[in-house]
Amino acid sequence: MMVMLANPAARERIDSGRERYFIKAGSRWPWSYVKRIGEPCRPPFPFYLAYAAAVLRDRGFEVRVLDGVALDLSNEEFIDRVLAHPPDLFLTETAMHSWRHDSLLLRELKARLPRLRIAVAGPHATAAADFILRNEPAVDIVLRGEYEFLAAEAAQILARGAAGDLRRPGIAFREGDGIWVSPEKGFVPDLDRLPRPAVELFPADGASEMSRYDDGICTYRPAVTLHSSRGCPFRCDFCLWNQVMYDNRAYRTFPPRRVVDEMEFVIEKFGAREIYFDDDDFCVSKEHVLEICAEIRQRGLKIPWSCMGDAMVTDEEMVREMAAAGCIFMKFGVESGDREILRNIQKPLDPEKAVQVSRWCRRHGIMTHATFVLGLTGETRESMRRTLRLAHRIRFDYAQVSIATPFPGTRMHDKLVDQEIIPSTDWGSFDGTRACAFSTPELPGEEIAAFRRKFIRSLILHKIIDHGWWRNYLRRNIRLYREYGPGKVLEPLIALFRLSE
């Protein structure tokens, strides 16, 4: 039995030269951006698909991979590649903002391959399993939550010709004229059970091209994404991944020795020149971080690495040890500069701690990327202005400013419904870089989106007078120019002029 793990591209043409491109697998929040038609995408690495591929391969299945996002394939090109080697089971991650495009492609695949079994996964499929199965006849199976072992279990059942046995925890499927949805979700309590992710299969046909992937903060190519943990003990009410995919269950870590083994593997196998730890929160456990850093130094491993961390529990000792072990870049979430908003969303962050962490990182040579979210629970015009004032004080090098999106399955969504503030029924608007999917009597969605544009312009202009920022910016851009060319260097200015798109 052959299983294809796929990530089809989804796009909307803007004009003769530009298109809006949707990011799904590999990202904890669905987003899109505008690019030139034919321009490489370089999306984040679809790590769940890679783990699922490894589990399926270990169970004896023939596994093929087709990442149409990384390859920038049109629907026609994507379908042609599937038809060239028709699978028995086709599995893809989908997202709320791209569902309209994804479902059209799945219908076309089903029309061309009527016997093909199609399964979908990811947070949108997890939250909307019943809706998808009732409204999209092309989809046969939905895998809810962490789906690596669920994918193998479903494939084994189908290989035996016993589709009726799919009544298993974490699986939803169409059963005759009815729908069966497991109330449970897939969960991997012991991460060490997972095999090493099958990075070598991506983006397609076993021809590994890691240079096609990029998280945006990585400086050197090829950069390879790894994980050292899953989950997060914090309970932000807007967080899609922690609430929907993990059900707010336990934070878990891979053994530090295994983490560094995988670092060595990708260096030797793929010539990795940078590693990005795309954990939900790399810095949750100080002991875990320090053990990884000690293992890296003990082995004499010399490779720059980056991580998704936080400003809540990180202290200067952790920052110092990370820098000594090769860390050159850290992301962390600030979200809001208003203490009341942070209490509303249950994020245990003192805004002043974000200022302090950015200073520690600059002191020890780690560049930073801070994230802010507008439109959070209880947001007002003054709280947004307070967030902007805080952002001006944080010594970050790069930033992301997004719009809070009330995805079904999150407490933020439930709060809005309880307040009789019904989010948009246009799933395409559930895109935190593009639009606000709701309005409150105090704060219209259009005003939140407009303030985001103002916020980004203000941040870029403010950095012009930050001498430390210029030092880091110029030093990094010499490297970026050598690795990527002038386009990467000009990204901040391009962002400034693309805000109206």
Side-chain angles (χ1 to χ4, degrees):
M1 180 176 180
M2 196 263 271
V3 182
M4 175 171 281
L5 302 174
N7 186 25
R11 47 163 66 82
E12 292 175 356
R13 182 180 288 268
I14 295 173
D15 53 36
S16 60
R18 299 175 306 159
E19 61 186 358
R20 180 168 292 280
Y21 211 77
F22 296 82
I23 301 301
K24 304 173 290 179
S27 178
R28 274 179 296 275
W29 64 293
W31 57 282
S32 67
Y33 74 107
V34 175
K35 75 176 187 70
R36 292 178 181 175
I37 295 172
E39 179 183 63
C41 174
R42 296 201 179 94
F45 185 74
F47 44 84
Y48 264 79
L49 290 173
Y51 281 115
V55 173
L56 284 158
R57 189 172 57 185
D58 284 357
R59 300 283 177 89
F61 291 97
E62 179 187 355
V63 177
R64 300 187 72 90
V65 165
L66 182 57
D67 190 345
V69 177
L71 295 171
D72 193 27
L73 299 179
S74 68
N75 280 4
E76 294 76 17
E77 291 169 328
F78 184 90
I79 289 171
D80 285 345
R81 289 214 188 186
V82 176
L83 294 176
H85 301 280
D88 301 291
L89 175 62
F90 178 95
L91 170 61
T92 184
E93 281 192 33
T94 186
M96 198 168 195
H97 71 326
S98 66
W99 173 246
R100 179 168 60 88
H101 302 282
D102 295 340
S103 62
L104 290 174
L105 181 136
L106 296 179
R107 288 179 200 175
E108 180 63 22
L109 273 179
K110 196 74 159 188
R112 304 285 289 275
L113 296 170
R115 297 176 63 84
L116 175 65
R117 297 295 186 115
I118 294 178
V120 296
H124 175 52
T126 297
D130 185 85
F131 178 91
I132 288 172
L133 288 169
R134 291 187 187 283
N135 292 277
E136 184 44 69
V139 175
D140 302 292
I141 300 168
V142 176
L143 305 179
R144 307 185 69 231
E146 295 177 73
Y147 63 80
E148 299 97 331
F149 291 109
L150 294 179
E153 190 173 2
Q156 289 172 326
I157 292 168
L158 294 175
R160 296 197 304 266
D165 291 343
L166 286 169
R167 284 178 171 258
R168 304 293 177 89
I171 298 178
F173 68 107
R174 184 174 291 101
E175 189 176 36
D177 294 330
I179 302 295
W180 189 85
V181 178
S182 167
E184 300 175 71
K185 299 177 185 177
F187 183 71
V188 184
D190 178 7
L191 295 184
D192 207 24
R193 288 182 56 217
L194 286 166
R196 177 184 54 77
V199 177
E200 62 275 11
L201 298 181
F202 288 79
D205 299 328
S208 177
E209 294 181 76
M210 287 299 102
S211 61
R212 288 187 177 271
Y213 299 98
D214 181 15
D215 188 78
I217 68 169
C218 294
T219 304
Y220 301 96
R221 289 196 293 172
V224 177
T225 297
L226 296 177
H227 282 165
S228 83
S229 67
R230 274 191 190 174
C232 176
F234 308 115
R235 296 291 181 259
C236 299
D237 74 346
F238 67 93
C239 181
L240 173 66
W241 211 260
N242 206 31
Q243 295 179 82
V244 175
M245 288 295 282
Y246 302 144
D247 249 357
N248 289 316
R249 294 170 79 174
Y251 164 77
R252 298 144 288 156
T253 61
F254 287 99
R257 179 175 292 276
R258 168 177 168 158
V259 172
V260 183
D261 284 346
E262 290 191 0
M263 293 176 72
E264 289 186 329
F265 176 81
V266 297
I267 293 168
E268 295 169 6
K269 178 75 173 179
F270 310 111
R273 298 175 59 220
E274 182 172 346
I275 289 166
Y276 173 56
F277 288 107
D278 193 22
D279 294 24
D280 301 287
D281 185 341
F282 182 81
C283 299
V284 166
S285 166
K286 182 176 180 178
E287 179 183 8
H288 180 64
V289 172
L290 296 185
E291 286 182 5
I292 290 174
C293 293
E295 190 74 23
I296 291 171
R297 296 178 70 183
Q298 182 180 340
R299 299 192 196 189
L301 205 56
K302 303 293 184 182
I303 185 170
W305 54 274
S306 311
C307 67
M308 178 71 211
D310 73 44
M312 291 176 283
V313 296
T314 302
D315 62 20
E316 188 169 12
E317 180 187 7
M318 194 186 302
V319 170
R320 183 177 62 247
E321 291 303 307
M322 287 166 60
C327 182
I328 61 171
F329 218 125
M330 182 171 78
K331 286 186 179 182
F332 60 87
V334 180
E335 323 319 351
S336 177
D338 187 284
R339 294 176 187 274
E340 183 64 28
I341 300 300
L342 292 170
R343 281 193 290 270
N344 289 345
I345 67 173
Q346 294 182 253
K347 186 179 182 77
L349 173 68
D350 178 349
E352 292 304 313
K353 182 68 181 298
V355 177
Q356 185 62 63
V357 168
S358 71
R359 289 175 177 163
W360 290 334
C361 286
R362 187 166 286 188
R363 181 182 303 161
H364 293 284
I366 295 177
M367 296 184 73
T368 52
H369 174 110
T371 65
F372 303 89
V373 183
L374 302 174
L376 293 166
T377 301
E379 191 81 274
T380 64
R381 295 177 182 88
E382 177 54 33
S383 66
M384 291 196 298
R385 288 192 288 267
R386 196 168 286 124
T387 299
L388 179 55
R389 289 195 293 270
L390 175 70
H392 285 163
R393 296 176 53 227
I394 298 175
R395 295 183 178 180
F396 59 80
D397 298 287
Y398 293 82
Q400 169 186 304
V401 183
S402 55
I403 299 170
T405 307
F407 294 105
T410 65
R411 295 195 314 282
M412 181 184 183
H413 176 273
D414 294 345
K415 289 175 184 177
L416 289 175
V417 172
D418 288 345
Q419 296 167 19
E420 298 184 351
I421 299 171
I422 308 300
S424 171
T425 55
D426 173 15
W427 285 0
S429 69
F430 283 65
D431 178 344
T433 61
R434 186 178 186 185
C436 188
F438 67 97
S439 291
T440 68
E442 299 79 19
L443 197 58
E446 295 82 359
E447 190 170 338
I448 296 172
F451 192 84
R452 174 180 178 267
R453 294 190 288 271
K454 174 184 175 181
F455 195 117
I456 296 174
R457 289 192 186 99
S458 179
L459 291 186
I460 294 172
L461 295 173
H462 186 77
K463 289 301 172 185
I464 292 174
I465 61 173
D466 181 345
H467 300 298
W469 179 83
W470 274 109
R471 183 178 62 250
N472 283 349
Y473 178 76
L474 293 173
R475 182 179 61 191
R476 182 171 186 254
N477 277 341
I478 292 171
R479 301 168 186 161
L480 290 177
Y481 184 84
R482 292 171 180 165
E483 298 287 331
Y484 296 89
K488 190 78 169 179
V489 175
L490 296 174
E491 274 184 359
L493 291 177
I494 293 170
L496 183 64
F497 292 105
R498 280 185 171 176
L499 291 177
S500 60
E501 299 175 335

